[in-house]
Amino acid sequence: QKEVEQNSGPLSVPEGAIASLNCTYSDRVSQSFFWYRQYSGKSPELIMSIYSNGDKEDGRFTAQLNKASQYVSLLIRDSQPSDSATYLCAVLSTSNYQLIWGAGTKLIIKP
Amino acid sequence: NAGVTQTPKFQVLKTGQSMTLQCAQDMNHNSMYWYRQDPGMGLRLIYYSASEGTTDKGEVPNGYNVSRLNKREFSLRLESAAPSQTSVYFCASSELAANTEAFFGQGTRLTVV
């Protein structure tokens, strides 16, 4: 079992709709979770971090964390074509305190 | 405002050749990292340097060596390149530990033939 799992996609969402991206992780005691966005041919950039159960909102982005179920999700409201990218989930390992990365979900927003 | 600068951007090596990937950051960050990214596998940590003067192995260190030359610079060396090392390599830095925001360089696309 991979330590951080994401559906590779592509996930196709109409412009203006809500895009929902999911991530599950295996380390039960992980405390820090991150969503990065990576445009094709570019480097990753941080969108959201979340550390507590529940929702965290930043503009059109909402991160959701459920530690009991070991999943973290990212919602993108009012999706725009510029949101088309690969979204990487990263979890801070409690063994060496380094990030463990999912393979990413490719998101396509259709105009 | 350069951030994290990697060189080169592209490189083709023959099997057995050696090369060094250079990375420099101008954000006064303490921690620096080298990752490789392969299709369908996400980012995998090769080596990291939590602070100047220290380096540690990550998930996939075999075939690589690193040097934290000073606080700004962190280089990655392939002593004898193998086709399995064909990948995109990213250098990153963060202010403190790995649970602070990581800033990435533009990447190096390496092909070993």
Side-chain angles (χ1 to χ4, degrees):
Chain A
Q1 180 188 4
K2 294 180 69 174
E3 295 186 65
V4 178
E5 296 210 43
Q6 297 181 254
N7 189 319
S8 62
L11 175 65
S12 184
V13 174
E15 183 176 357
I18 296 175
S20 178
L21 305 162
N22 299 310
C23 171
T24 59
Y25 60 94
S26 60
D27 186 346
R28 291 185 168 276
V29 295
S30 292
Q31 298 293 321
S32 303
F33 308 87
F34 306 86
W35 283 100
Y36 281 75
R37 178 177 61 200
Q38 186 176 24
Y39 292 114
S40 180
K42 303 296 184 181
S43 56
E45 54 182 348
L46 181 67
I47 301 176
M48 297 279 290
S49 58
I50 188 166
Y51 306 100
S52 303
N53 276 330
D55 295 359
K56 179 182 178 182
E57 187 174 318
D58 184 1
R60 296 186 297 112
F61 297 94
T62 299
Q64 299 176 318
L65 176 60
N66 184 324
K67 291 183 180 179
S69 300
Q70 295 174 238
Y71 82 78
V72 57
S73 61
L74 180 70
L75 302 178
I76 307 174
R77 290 183 300 281
D78 187 24
S79 297
Q80 303 296 309
S82 59
D83 294 326
S84 297
T86 296
Y87 290 79
L88 305 173
C89 173
V91 178
L92 189 69
S93 166
T94 55
S95 61
N96 66 356
Y97 297 98
Q98 297 302 315
L99 294 176
I100 302 173
W101 298 78
T105 298
K106 184 173 184 178
L107 175 66
I108 299 172
I109 306 299
K110 292 190 171 182
Chain B
N1 191 8
V4 180
T5 302
Q6 279 181 248
T7 55
K9 291 184 180 179
F10 301 94
Q11 184 72 49
V12 178
L13 288 178
K14 294 182 179 179
T15 298
Q17 287 185 318
S18 62
M19 78 162 295
T20 299
L21 280 65
Q22 306 286 352
C23 176
Q25 52 91 8
D26 63 2
M27 296 173 283
N28 200 36
H29 285 171
N30 288 294
S31 300
M32 298 186 74
Y33 315 87
W34 277 105
Y35 290 97
R36 58 178 290 172
Q37 187 174 38
D38 301 292
M41 299 188 72
L43 290 161
R44 291 184 292 169
L45 184 64
I46 303 171
Y47 272 93
Y48 64 100
S49 172
S51 61
E52 185 180 359
T54 69
T55 60
D56 286 285
K57 295 179 180 180
E59 180 186 355
V60 289
N62 291 344
Y64 306 94
N65 285 298
V66 291
S67 295
R68 183 76 183 265
L69 303 170
N70 48 55
K71 192 171 185 179
R72 290 186 64 247
E73 298 174 286
F74 189 38
S75 63
L76 178 71
R77 183 162 178 83
L78 286 70
E79 291 290 353
S80 179
S84 61
Q85 294 178 303
T86 294
S87 188
V88 178
Y89 291 84
F90 286 102
C91 176
S93 70
S94 62
E95 183 175 1
L96 295 171
N99 63 342
T100 54
E101 180 176 1
F103 293 83
F104 286 79
Q106 72 269 43
T108 297
R109 187 171 295 275
L110 175 67
T111 302
V112 183
V113 298

